[in-house]
Amino acid sequence: MNSLFAGLTVSIFEEMSALARQHQAINLGQGFPDDPGPEDVRRKAADAVMTGWNQYPPMLGLPELREAVARHYRTHQGLEIDASSEVMITSGATEALAGALLALIEPGDEVVLFEPAYDAYLPLIRRAGGVPRFVKLAPPDWRFTAAQLAAAITPRTRVVLLNNPQNPSGAVYGPAELQLIADATAGTGAIVVADEVWEHVIFDDRPHTSVLAIPDLRRRCVKIGSAGKIFCLTGWKVGFVVAAPEILKVLAKAHQYITFTTPPNLQAAVAYGLDKPASHFDAMRADLQMRRDRLAAGLTAAGFAALPAEGTYFLNVDLAPLGLTDDTAFCRRLVTEAGVAAIPVSAFYADASMRSVIRFCFAKVDATLDGAVARLVDAAPRLAR
Ligand code: PMP
Ligand code: GLN
């Protein structure tokens, strides 16, 4: 068997969700909302199953969805995208990432990524033959500098893989930081792959800046999006890839032999949803921001002050000020002794060098958040030892 996959442990999300079930814990670990999601979008999918096309759709995606993706990004991000040559639909962002890495990397090529790194990145990079080079980020603000990029980028760099907004840190990178990446990779031929699945989950009126909006990167980047995050329907594995035609053509070769297509009924519903008015997305953000603030206040009341969260479903707590330095052990105690599941952020560092931060998901209804906070307040005196 392949030694890389044979040697991997089960994902931290699966592990913590299983532990949560086992201990009847409130699950603020794995990132998924516990409300049903937009009814009209779900209805559209149901109708499409009953009355629509249920055979293979076109390999690159339903034309109506590819056009809706281009229109959506024009409306919300001011991007000019050609639907027929620059957009491809995949079975979730995960497939898009796997396909991009397989299609862009030759064995021995270097891939620069930022730690904490979403858990899928490193195994996919390694399996594609890539050699990871890390830029390490740290709380409280998780920023990177030109000097860090200069140290990581070499003539062998083929891909820079950025997650913006960033899971798990909740950091959002703006035009100036994207420009640093453009400058650091100028003339190297490196392609910037930007996992922007959290593009709509961004708070305090911050804008999202796509990698496609940076003129120096427009022809050498790949933007990845996900309907799962845009509509808070995380089980819907419908992803989008946007790239210049010459790059997209090659990514499509990977897609055609990974999944070939994505369920057409979900694609039809996503095409409908992407044209919803801006007020829908504003309301979603406002609602999630309220949840973020509700959980932050509760965590503070329990003695676990949260770090700033500019985007994503996640709030982080740095345990270092409490003298706690083993996030994994602490998360296990949280599940068993407090009945609340969280995610240890060391799981997103290859060398587990960051061991004091834990991540809570706040995309939950009030009763879930309040229940978790009550448990944390109750358990805090025992846990902070
Ligand atoms: N990238 C990041 C940063 C994510 O947080 C997630 C899921 N939470 C994904 C990719 C996977 O997206 P999808 O479910 O569309 O495959
Ligand atoms: N992206 C989700 C999170 O960060 C989990 C996805 C998964 O379970 N693979 O929690």
Side-chain angles (χ1 to χ4, degrees):
M1 289 184 287
N2 176 265
S3 58
L4 191 149
F5 281 106
L8 286 177
T9 54
V10 62
S11 103
I12 189 68
F13 306 118
E14 190 70 20
E15 182 188 339
M16 292 310 301
S17 286
L19 266 182
R21 282 191 293 273
Q22 191 185 330
H23 293 278
Q24 282 93 47
I26 296 175
N27 190 355
L28 303 188
Q30 195 175 32
F32 60 90
D34 64 351
D35 66 11
E39 179 167 356
D40 55 342
V41 178
R42 289 184 291 120
R43 174 75 50 210
K44 212 68 189 172
D47 290 348
V49 169
M50 295 315 292
T51 60
W53 181 253
N54 286 286
Q55 309 304 336
Y56 296 128
M59 193 260 280
L60 291 175
L62 289 188
E64 69 197 76
L65 176 54
R66 297 169 69 206
E67 277 153 26
V69 168
R71 214 165 33 242
H72 184 84
Y73 287 143
R74 183 179 310 122
T75 305
H76 293 271
Q77 296 173 19
L79 300 171
E80 286 307 321
I81 295 166
D82 177 37
S84 66
S85 64
E86 297 191 308
V87 180
M88 175 170 76
I89 308 306
T90 58
S91 295
T94 308
E95 189 220 311
L97 280 161
L101 294 169
L102 287 172
L104 297 176
I105 299 172
E106 294 270 28
D109 284 345
E110 292 182 0
V111 177
V112 171
L113 72 165
F114 299 78
E115 283 186 313
Y118 181 63
D119 72 332
Y121 294 174
L122 194 55
L124 291 174
I125 289 167
R126 289 204 164 118
R127 191 64 185 97
V131 178
R133 306 264 301 186
F134 297 105
V135 173
K136 279 199 187 189
L137 311 174
D141 61 0
W142 316 93
R143 300 287 127 182
F144 56 85
T145 62
Q148 281 178 294
L149 294 175
I153 290 165
T154 78
R156 299 179 66 93
T157 305
R158 168 100 323 249
V159 168
V160 176
L161 174 53
L162 177 73
N163 179 205
N164 183 32
Q166 221 248 13
N167 176 8
S169 68
V172 171
Y173 301 109
E177 280 151 321
L178 297 180
Q179 189 62 45
L180 288 182
I181 297 177
D183 293 345
T185 51
T188 65
I191 292 177
V192 178
V193 177
D195 174 346
E196 299 181 5
V197 300
W198 298 101
E199 58 200 338
H200 270 299
V201 186
I202 184 164
F203 306 122
D204 308 309
D205 296 323
R206 244 178 221 91
H208 170 71
T209 308
S210 173
V211 75
L212 290 167
I214 307 301
D216 293 346
L217 293 175
R218 179 64 179 84
R219 315 261 347 143
R220 57 181 181 95
C221 71
V222 175
K223 171 193 169 93
I224 295 175
S226 170
K229 301 297 171 340
I230 293 181
F231 298 107
C232 292
L233 297 166
T234 62
W236 281 25
K237 302 294 276 196
V238 180
F240 329 126
V241 182
V242 184
E246 54 280 15
I247 298 177
L248 194 82
K249 261 187 212 138
V250 181
L251 302 189
K253 301 288 166 48
H255 167 68
Q256 78 178 341
Y257 294 131
I258 301 178
T259 60
F260 183 60
T261 56
T262 298
N265 20 63
L266 293 181
Q267 290 196 52
V270 171
Y272 158 83
L274 288 176
D275 283 335
K276 283 172 78 73
S279 56
H280 167 83
F281 301 97
D282 291 342
M284 177 184 84
R285 270 189 290 279
D287 180 67
L288 285 165
Q289 184 168 321
M290 251 165 42
R291 298 179 190 292
R292 176 197 66 175
D293 296 342
R294 192 178 190 101
L295 182 61
L299 288 170
T300 302
F304 301 110
L307 296 167
E310 299 170 334
T312 76
Y313 292 161
F314 308 115
L315 268 175
N316 291 289
V317 170
D318 191 352
L319 301 168
L322 303 174
L324 297 164
T325 51
D326 185 341
D327 59 345
T328 307
F330 188 76
C331 283
R332 286 182 186 286
R333 289 187 63 202
L334 258 191
V335 175
T336 54
E337 296 176 35
V340 176
I343 298 286
V345 166
S346 60
F348 304 92
Y349 285 80
D351 58 1
S353 56
M354 174 67 60
R355 299 185 59 88
S356 68
V357 180
I358 62 174
R359 189 197 84 172
F360 292 93
C361 173
F362 55 76
K364 305 291 179 188
V365 298
D366 289 352
T368 309
L369 294 177
D370 295 350
V373 166
R375 290 181 180 198
L376 288 172
V377 167
D378 178 58
R382 281 173 281 132
L383 286 169
R385 260 187 275 133

